[in-house]
Amino acid sequence: MDHSHSHRERQEVVGIIGGGISGLLACKYLKSKGFDPIVFEAHTTIGGVWSKVSLTTFLQTPKPIYSFSDYPWPSSSSSSSECPSQLQVMEYVMGYAHHFNLLKHIKFNSLVQGIEYDGPEDEEERKSWDFWGGNGEPFRSKAKWKVLVKDTINDSTQRKPITKVNNFALNHMDSRQEVVVGIIGGGISGLLACKYLKSKGFDPIVFEAHSTIGGVWSKVSLTTFLQTPKPIYSFSDYPWPSSSSECPSQLQVMEYVMGYAHHFDLLKHIKFNSLVQGIEYDGPEDEGEMKSWDLWGGNGEPFRANAKWKVLVKNTINDSSEVRRFSDVANIPEFEEKKGPEVFKGKVMHSMEFTSMDDQTAAEFVKGKNVTVVGFLKSAIDIAMQCSQVNGDKYPCKVLYKTAHWSIPDFVPWGIPLALLYFNRFSELLVHKPGQSFFHTLIATTLSPLRWAFSKIVESYVKRKQRLAKFGMVPKHSFLSDLSASTIFVTPEKFYDRVEEGSIILKKSPSFWFDEEGVVVEGESTPLNTDLVIFATGYKSDHKLRDIFVSPTFQNLIMGSPDAALPLYRECINPEIPQLAVIGFSESFSNLFTSEMRCRWIAEFLSGTFKLPSIKEMKKDVEKWDKYMKEYSGKYYRRSSIAALQIWYYDQLCKDMGWNPRRKKGLFAELFEPYGPLDYSSN
């Protein structure tokens, strides 16, 4: 580490051994003084001793004394006990690290084995010094410490070594521990895949590009809350802690996810700061021969002899160039020449860049600026709320949108739980389903007036509760359409109060473009006075999936036709791409719940419980689901949402795995009780 001292701009790299509380504090304060700290943490998470003690351990020091001076304990911990539990302490420490953006400075799985001083003088000369370091200064010219660091995953006698290009041999051997399964991403879907594959005896390795688990939950603002009822958004075998609120905060969700990973001992399988840049199939046959296959992978089995995927992995700390090349792909509208962001004098960014900031940085960034947010789904509304809280009506945040969507203030319209209207078997009888029998077609057609009535019940409640007509925000489509496309969200508290007071301005525009001064809305001569434009227009998830493949053939296969939903059988398996599954692409009302069911299905398939049908039959099934998605989701069919048919979808998975799809006791319960994760807690 070169500690050459500069008075103008500090370039000193300061090594910190250990990512416990002392290490985090050292990192935070050194960072605040302009140094470049690197924290070497031997394990896969921060927290030091608190990450290793039992979940039944409680804080032994009065909480007011055991606290950071500039980061108070969250109110959720005080409501449960003055002596926080291990999970609550970990939540607090994790929150501190996120708040001050410390995780990017931590090198996980890095065990310091020794340090050696390397200076221009020998040890005898140093004995004669009158001042510390010879000059009484913090740093000495040409003096540094050499730090010997061991990667506890790559260099371990208990794990398989992984080089930059990893050959994951997926041969079906007698011992499943010989089969290494690579998992891309340490979000909720990745953790679930790891847990269920591990339970079946496989050897999972999770490649996580960042320094923590949690996926999108590790990146969103601390003011973000869960948008799904907690009983639905839960693991089937790991309940929410009693201290969590009915609408858990970002910190509480992270605590829950971290607790799950610790409980099932998943962290040791995760390779942090490991960005997968590409995957390439390496099999005994060429791509032309693969087109003639009748069965998935050529033999209908999960694995093929001498076939594997090569995975190109980059360490995001040691090699930080082009880190985002295969990260989320922003969905930015296209503009005519000289009408795009390049002519605008202000700043233009996508929401993923904005939400990557910590709350304090984001607040300072928008303070005193005229902000225009483009979009009207969850991320757009959250950003608008943040801006209005900072700037008030002096610098109102403008929200530019094409289509108004249904957002709900709560989950009990007119006192009726939403789950009774949309998440039981009876509600799904009202919807035409892919692969349905004549009886189901007749029932769905006959009961279509009831389907219309259910939508009107919810719509009338939302319109009245949120005064949508007053603000011109009544959508032209039905509530069922937004539910089917997974485009509904929970309205932030007091959002429309902010609209009424003028700190948020809603402006509908079929199209717009840029000029030097701001944003020009179609039909208006004066541009919107704007300093900053934030595109909260979502992501091109299909492009992100495509770009991970090296082969253009596989890129085309995974994308399918642009006029159809992605060709994934059971929303997991592309019929023409062997030894690969996709878990987290298709959306639902509870992505956690759905991902868990898919991971269990994949684990059962890989362990030989069932076989896939022929490629031809799988393609026919994919076409049926594509027809359903176009009918109910409209222009959002590429999202592949199953939100309005979750139980029907889970029935298909259960039948494949040999489970009884009927999970309730009695006909009435089977028809009218909402289905949730606990209904699938056992086979």
Side-chain angles (χ1 to χ4, degrees):
M1 297 180 189
D2 188 4
H3 300 296
S4 56
H5 193 63
S6 169
H7 293 288
R8 293 183 180 179
E9 182 181 357
R10 292 192 172 104
Q11 299 292 329
E12 297 93 344
V13 179
V14 181
I16 301 167
I17 301 175
I21 290 174
S22 297
L24 295 176
L25 285 163
C27 180
K28 185 258 187 183
Y29 284 105
L30 287 167
K31 175 186 173 187
S32 71
K33 292 297 183 181
F35 295 102
D36 183 13
I38 296 181
V39 182
F40 298 100
E41 169 53 53
H43 301 93
T44 54
T45 187
I46 61 175
V49 67
W50 279 106
S51 68
K52 304 174 182 69
V53 296
S54 165
L55 295 176
T56 60
T57 302
F58 288 84
L59 185 63
Q60 298 293 298
T61 307
K63 196 168 62 174
I65 298 176
Y66 196 92
S67 66
F68 299 108
S69 64
D70 49 2
Y71 187 77
W73 281 89
S75 56
S76 61
S77 61
S78 62
S79 64
S80 61
S81 172
E82 281 303 308
C83 298
S85 67
Q86 184 264 0
L87 282 177
Q88 289 172 326
V89 174
M90 283 297 293
E91 170 190 350
Y92 180 50
V93 173
M94 184 68 74
Y96 180 84
H98 278 288
H99 183 74
F100 291 106
N101 201 20
L102 305 181
L103 293 177
K104 69 179 182 181
H105 297 279
I106 303 176
K107 188 171 175 61
F108 287 98
N109 306 310
S110 299
L111 176 66
V112 173
Q113 294 190 303
I115 60 174
E116 184 180 4
Y117 183 71
D118 182 15
E121 63 288 319
D122 57 28
E123 292 183 0
E124 287 300 319
E125 183 181 347
R126 291 200 292 271
K127 292 178 182 180
S128 65
W129 286 348
D130 294 322
F131 295 97
W132 186 68
N135 58 2
E137 297 291 331
F139 306 104
R140 248 176 99 74
S141 176
K142 299 181 181 179
K144 57 190 175 184
W145 283 92
K146 292 180 179 179
V147 183
L148 177 61
V149 181
K150 176 180 178 181
D151 187 322
T152 56
I153 292 182
N154 289 354
D155 185 8
S156 171
T157 57
Q158 298 180 357
R159 292 195 63 84
K160 299 176 178 64
I162 303 174
T163 57
K164 190 171 185 181
V165 176
N166 297 274
N167 294 328
F168 288 108
L170 297 178
N171 303 330
H172 201 169
M173 304 179 183
D174 292 336
S175 173
R176 287 180 193 154
Q177 290 187 349
E178 297 292 335
V179 180
V180 181
V181 181
I183 300 168
I184 301 176
I188 287 173
S189 295
L191 294 176
L192 284 162
C194 181
K195 185 256 188 182
Y196 282 104
L197 288 169
K198 176 185 173 185
S199 72
K200 292 294 183 180
F202 296 102
D203 183 11
I205 296 181
V206 182
F207 297 101
E208 170 52 53
H210 302 93
S211 55
T212 187
I213 60 174
V216 67
W217 279 107
S218 68
K219 304 176 183 71
V220 296
S221 164
L222 294 175
T223 59
T224 302
F225 288 83
L226 186 62
Q227 296 287 295
T228 307
K230 193 170 66 172
I232 297 177
Y233 197 91
S234 66
F235 300 106
S236 66
D237 51 2
Y238 187 77
W240 281 88
S242 57
S243 60
S244 60
S245 58
E246 279 306 304
C247 295
S249 66
Q250 184 263 2
L251 282 177
Q252 289 175 322
V253 175
M254 283 297 292
E255 171 190 349
Y256 181 52
V257 174
M258 186 68 74
Y260 180 83
H262 278 289
H263 183 73
F264 291 106
D265 199 21
L266 305 181
L267 294 177
K268 67 182 182 182
H269 297 279
I270 303 175
K271 187 171 173 62
F272 288 99
N273 305 308
S274 299
L275 176 69
V276 173
Q277 292 198 296
I279 59 174
E280 186 174 10
Y281 183 70
D282 182 16
E285 59 288 304
D286 58 31
E287 292 179 355
E289 183 182 345
M290 291 165 63
K291 293 178 181 178
S292 65
W293 286 348
D294 294 321
L295 298 175
W296 189 67
N299 60 1
E301 297 291 333
F303 307 105
R304 256 176 92 77
N306 301 322
K308 57 194 172 187
W309 283 93
K310 292 180 178 179
V311 183
L312 177 63
V313 182
K314 178 175 14 180
N315 185 302
T316 57
I317 292 181
N318 294 345
D319 183 4
S320 60
S321 62
E322 296 185 25
V323 163
R324 302 187 72 159
R325 183 181 175 193
F326 294 109
S327 187
D328 294 318
V329 180
N331 182 26
I332 303 289
E334 296 182 358
F335 297 91
E336 295 179 12
E337 188 177 357
K338 295 183 179 180
K339 289 189 175 183
E342 70 278 359
V343 303
F344 177 47
K345 290 182 179 179
K347 172 75 173 175
V348 179
M349 63 169 55
H350 189 266
S351 58
M352 69 178 175
E353 184 179 353
F354 181 78
T355 56
S356 68
M357 304 177 188
D358 61 69
D359 285 5
Q360 184 178 352
T361 303
E364 289 296 324
F365 184 72
V366 301
K367 187 176 181 179
K369 290 187 175 73
N370 291 296
V371 181
T372 296
V373 179
V374 180
F376 195 74
L377 288 178
K378 177 59 180 169
S379 60
I381 302 309
D382 282 345
I383 293 171
M385 284 293 287
Q386 280 184 275
C387 294
S388 70
Q389 288 168 358
V390 174
N391 291 324
D393 58 2
K394 185 177 181 180
Y395 298 97
C397 177
K398 294 171 279 291
V399 178
L400 205 60
Y401 68 96
K402 283 185 178 181
T403 306
H405 290 277
W406 292 103
S407 63
I408 55 178
D410 52 59
F411 296 102
V412 282
W414 303 118
I416 306 170
L418 191 67
L420 290 179
L421 298 175
Y422 286 106
F423 303 118
N424 55 26
R425 286 196 182 276
F426 180 76
S427 66
E428 293 194 2
L429 285 176
L430 315 183
V431 180
H432 289 285
K433 295 168 279 293
Q436 66 184 3
S437 65
F438 174 76
F439 172 75
H440 283 105
T441 303
L442 182 62
I443 290 291
T445 303
T446 304
L447 296 180
S448 59
L450 192 57
R451 181 173 70 233
W452 175 86
F454 281 8
S455 260
K456 292 303 176 185
I457 289 171
V458 180
E459 291 166 20
S460 63
Y461 174 75
V462 173
K463 285 191 290 186
R464 180 170 179 177
K465 187 79 180 279
Q466 300 185 144
R467 300 161 289 162
L468 296 187
K470 177 179 180 179
F471 303 113
M473 294 302 295
V474 179
K476 294 183 178 180
H477 52 272
S478 70
F479 177 80
L480 178 62
S481 295
D482 267 336
L483 176 68
S484 299
S486 292
T487 50
I488 63 168
F489 57 92
V490 178
T491 313
E493 188 177 358
K494 297 184 178 180
F495 174 77
Y496 283 103
D497 290 344
R498 298 286 174 87
V499 176
E500 189 168 35
E501 72 184 19
S503 60
I504 294 177
I505 298 173
L506 302 174
K507 184 173 284 290
K508 186 172 183 178
S509 172
S511 65
F512 69 93
W513 55 92
F514 289 88
D515 70 4
E516 289 187 358
E517 302 303 321
V519 175
V520 181
V521 176
E522 182 181 348
E524 297 185 9
S525 57
T526 305
L528 299 178
N529 184 22
T530 304
D531 303 308
L532 170 65
V533 177
I534 303 175
F535 282 102
T537 45
Y539 304 91
K540 296 180 179 179
S541 300
D542 52 353
H543 287 67
K544 178 182 178 181
L545 199 56
R546 176 198 66 191
D547 291 345
I548 209 71
F549 291 93
V550 173
S551 163
T553 299
F554 284 135
Q555 289 181 347
N556 292 331
L557 288 175
I558 197 68
M559 289 289 282
S561 168
D563 300 322
L566 256 65
L568 295 174
Y569 177 70
R570 299 290 192 251
E571 303 306 323
C572 296
I573 297 285
N574 184 291
E576 297 178 275
I577 301 180
Q579 292 179 207
L580 181 136
V582 178
I583 299 296
F585 180 83
S586 170
E587 298 193 44
S588 69
F589 189 68
S590 172
N591 289 331
L592 187 157
F593 181 15
T594 303
S595 288
E596 182 166 17
M597 289 297 292
R598 287 177 182 149
C599 290
R600 297 175 82 171
W601 184 83
I602 288 292
E604 294 291 345
F605 167 61
L606 295 185
S607 59
T609 301
F610 63 93
K611 293 183 180 295
L612 295 175
S614 68
I615 291 176
K616 184 178 180 180
E617 290 172 318
M618 286 195 284
K619 286 183 175 180
K620 285 182 178 179
D621 188 81
V622 167
E623 289 173 1
K624 292 175 183 177
W625 279 90
D626 175 60
K627 182 179 178 181
Y628 157 76
M629 288 167 185
K630 287 176 178 174
E631 179 180 355
Y632 284 91
S633 299
K635 65 180 181 179
Y636 298 103
Y637 63 87
R638 288 285 282 188
R639 294 171 72 101
S640 301
S641 171
I642 62 159
L645 275 186
Q646 289 188 169
I647 303 172
W648 178 264
Y649 172 74
Y650 299 150
D651 284 353
Q652 318 307 312
L653 302 185
C654 287
K655 290 174 183 176
D656 290 343
M657 295 185 287
W659 300 1
N660 181 2
R662 304 289 183 259
R663 317 296 291 185
K664 303 286 188 181
K665 294 182 179 179
L667 179 61
F668 183 86
E670 190 62 56
L671 275 176
F672 298 106
E673 282 188 7
Y675 261 76
L678 294 181
D679 292 305
Y680 299 90
S681 59
S682 63
N683 296 1

